[in-house]
Amino acid sequence: MPNILSAFEIGVGRVERQPHYFPLIINIAHSTMMTFFTCGEFVSGAEVMMQAAAVATQHGRPTDALHFLYQMQTLAERRGDLATARWARDEAERIGEGETGESWAILLMMRASEAERLGDYAHATTFARQAYDLFAQLEECGDEHMAAGFSPGRALEFDGRPHEALPYFREALLWAESTGNPINRGSILHHIGNCEAYAERYQAAMHAYRKAGEQFVTLGAVEFISNAVGEAGLLVGRLDPLIGLPNRKLVEAALADIFERLAQDLWRDPDVAGNPRVTLRKLAGVVALALHIGHEGHLGDVAAVMYARLV
C-alpha cells in the first residue's frame, strides 16, 4: 500500500505538466477505495479521493470527480468527520451543476447519504430511489442500478420500513456476488440481517449476520466483524431451535476488536473516539454467543486483557 500511495503522490505532482499520469491517478484511486474502507484508513482514504477528484475536475472528467467525492463523503461519514463529508457534498454540487446521466445519479446518491445522516429519511429515500431509477435507464452503467439499490434500502430500513428495504438489499447482494465485491457483500448481508430481525424472522437474521461476519473475517475487516457478531448474539434468546450460530473463530475475532475499541473509546480524544455505548452493546451480544457455543472459558482471558488495557 505505501508504494501505491507513493506512486499516486508522484502522479498528482506531475500530472499538470505530464498528462499521461492521469490514468495512473484515476486507476489507483478507484482500486484503493475498498482497501481504505476495509482497513479503517478513513482519513488517508478521504485525502486520496479529494486529490483524485481535483485532478479529474481539472481534466474535464466530472463523472470521475463525482465518484471520488462520493467515496470521500462515505469515508468521512464512517469516521464521523461531518465537516469533511459536507465539504465533499458541497464540492459535488458545484461540479455537478447542470450535469445529467450518471453524474446526476451520483449527486443524488450523495444527497441521499447526507439526508440519511441528518435523519431525514423521507428525503433520503426519495433521492436514493431517483438515483436507482436513473441508473436503471443508463445502458452504459450496466448493473450499476443493482448496486445503487443499497442506498434506498438503507433509507427505508432506518425509516422503519424493513419490508420495503429487503428487495433493494437482495438485488444489491446479487450484484455484489456477481462482481466479487466482498466488502459490499458483507455490508449488505448485515443490513439484510437487520431487516429480517425487525420482521421477527430470527433464524434468517442469524444466517445473514453469520455470513456477513464470515465475509469480514476473510477480509480482515475487524470492526465490521464485531458489528455482525454482536447483533447475532443479541438474537440467541429468540432462537428456537438454537442452530446456525457463529463459530468460535468469529466470536474470538469480535471480542478482540471490542476490547481494542473500548480502549480507544476511553482514552482517545473525544472528538475522534467512537461511541462506547455501541461498543458495549456489541460486547453484550458477543458474550451471549460465547456462552451459548460453549466458549465461556475464553471470557476469562478476555476479561484479563480488558483489565490490563483499560484499568
Side-chain angles (χ1 to χ4, degrees):
M1 190 66 168
N3 291 338
I4 293 174
L5 294 182
S6 294
F8 179 83
E9 292 294 337
I10 291 171
V12 169
R14 296 181 181 180
V15 68
E16 186 173 351
R17 299 183 307 276
Q18 298 172 280
H20 61 270
Y21 277 98
F22 178 73
L24 172 71
I25 295 167
I26 299 302
N27 289 334
I28 288 177
H30 277 304
S31 63
T32 53
M33 170 58 188
M34 186 185 299
T35 302
F36 286 128
F37 200 80
T38 302
C39 297
E41 295 291 337
F42 304 125
V43 176
S44 299
E47 178 66 25
V48 166
M49 298 305 149
M50 181 174 67
Q51 291 180 304
V55 170
T57 302
Q58 292 165 3
H59 284 74
R61 297 278 291 271
T63 300
D64 282 320
L66 289 166
H67 264 296
F68 296 134
L69 288 169
Y70 184 28
Q71 305 298 352
M72 180 183 177
Q73 179 192 38
T74 301
L75 289 161
E77 287 177 344
R78 185 71 192 184
R79 182 175 181 264
D81 184 353
L82 305 185
T84 298
R86 183 57 188 265
W87 183 91
R89 211 300 302 272
D90 289 345
E91 182 68 1
E93 292 284 354
R94 183 186 69 80
I95 294 171
E97 184 177 1
E99 292 291 326
T100 59
E102 185 178 0
S103 294
W104 177 241
I106 297 167
L107 186 54
L108 286 169
M109 296 274 282
M110 295 184 72
R111 290 178 179 178
S113 183
E114 182 174 68
E116 179 189 307
R117 177 176 57 78
L118 295 173
D120 184 357
Y121 301 122
H123 278 102
T125 300
T126 297
F127 290 138
R129 280 177 160 166
Q130 288 174 347
Y132 174 87
D133 291 341
L134 182 52
F135 274 123
Q137 297 168 18
L138 299 172
E139 292 185 8
E140 66 272 22
C141 292
D143 293 334
E144 192 79 18
H145 72 284
M146 296 173 68
F150 185 62
S151 186
R154 280 176 55 101
L156 289 163
E157 175 195 338
F158 296 146
D159 198 29
R161 298 151 69 183
H163 59 290
E164 295 180 58
L166 267 174
Y168 286 108
F169 285 137
R170 286 172 175 155
E171 186 173 54
L173 181 61
L174 289 174
W175 168 82
E177 290 176 336
S178 68
T179 57
N181 193 317
I183 188 66
N184 282 334
R185 182 174 185 270
S187 296
I188 294 163
L189 281 165
H190 186 109
H191 284 282
I192 288 174
N194 293 344
C195 293
E196 297 287 14
Y198 294 147
E200 300 184 0
R201 293 189 289 267
Y202 299 120
Q203 196 66 62
M206 178 63 75
H207 175 77
Y209 287 138
R210 190 187 76 246
K211 298 301 289 184
E214 290 169 353
Q215 189 73 70
F216 295 140
V217 164
T218 301
L219 284 169
V222 180
E223 177 184 355
F224 301 95
I225 298 168
S226 61
N227 289 346
V229 177
E231 290 299 325
L234 295 174
L235 295 180
V236 293
R238 301 175 182 271
L239 288 180
D240 185 19
L242 198 60
I243 58 174
L245 302 183
N247 60 28
R248 291 189 178 193
K249 180 179 179 181
L250 279 174
V251 170
E252 289 178 1
L255 285 169
D257 171 55
I258 287 168
F259 62 70
E260 178 68 26
R261 198 153 302 281
L262 278 172
Q264 293 175 356
D265 291 347
L266 291 174
W267 299 116
R268 286 194 307 178
D269 183 333
D271 290 335
V272 297
N275 186 340
R277 181 179 298 178
V278 172
T279 307
L280 290 170
R281 172 187 168 87
K282 294 193 290 187
L283 177 61
V286 177
V287 168
L289 268 178
L291 293 172
H292 280 84
I293 65 172
H295 206 24
E296 62 272 14
H298 187 59
L299 295 178
D301 297 334
V302 171
V305 173
M306 288 182 68
Y307 180 84
R309 291 295 306 272
L310 303 179
V311 178

